[in-house]
Amino acid sequence: QVQLVESGGALVQPGGSLGLSCVASGFTINNYDVSWYRQAPGNERELVARITTPHDNTNYVDSVKGRFTISRDNAKNTVYLQMNILKPEDTAVYYCNARRWVGLRHNNYWGQGTQVTVSS
């Protein structure tokens, strides 16, 4: 069964750090472009960071550059999002997404999300 499971969301104070994990099962995540999205109440889902195959190039939305880092551990079939210097505006549900084309089929998988709340 294909599945993405996020974890690591929590309540953290402004200026703090948090690490999110996205564990894949049923497929090999290092063959996929993987992104972290977030969605705050009343807002559209926003792309935060992406890591692409085959060279693990990374991209970030401007608001998190220098604070967030996306990485992958192929042995653990896991992608991470390290978040530092957190701000209240980072509060959202964070989702993991993995996608790739296999021939004419577009594999596009989503996790269930994990809540990050930045508040004092």
Side-chain angles (χ1 to χ4, degrees):
Q1 180 182 0
V2 170
Q3 199 171 11
L4 285 174
V5 178
E6 304 100 330
S7 63
L11 171 64
V12 62
Q13 292 189 342
S17 297
L18 207 57
L20 305 183
S21 299
C22 172
V23 180
S25 58
F27 69 103
T28 302
I29 203 168
N30 65 296
N31 294 332
Y32 284 68
D33 294 342
V34 180
S35 303
W36 284 95
Y37 288 77
R38 66 186 178 187
Q39 188 167 20
N43 290 358
E44 293 185 354
R45 193 168 292 191
E46 173 189 38
L47 176 61
V48 175
R50 174 171 289 159
I51 186 165
T52 59
T53 59
H55 302 299
D56 282 356
N57 293 325
T58 58
N59 298 96
Y60 302 90
V61 67
D62 285 347
S63 60
V64 308
K65 283 181 180 177
R67 300 188 298 121
F68 289 14
T69 303
I70 187 171
S71 62
R72 63 167 105 222
D73 185 333
N74 294 335
K76 296 183 178 180
N77 217 26
T78 300
V79 171
Y80 303 98
L81 185 68
Q82 179 62 37
M83 306 183 293
N84 299 326
I85 317 174
L86 282 161
K87 305 175 181 180
E89 51 264 43
D90 295 319
T91 295
V93 178
Y94 283 71
Y95 298 90
C96 180
N97 171 259
R99 63 182 65 183
R100 70 172 291 199
W101 285 94
V102 181
L104 296 179
R105 186 176 76 247
H106 187 217
N107 292 346
N108 187 14
Y109 308 132
W110 288 91
Q112 82 290 347
T114 186
Q115 176 70 48
V116 172
T117 303
V118 185
S119 175
S120 55

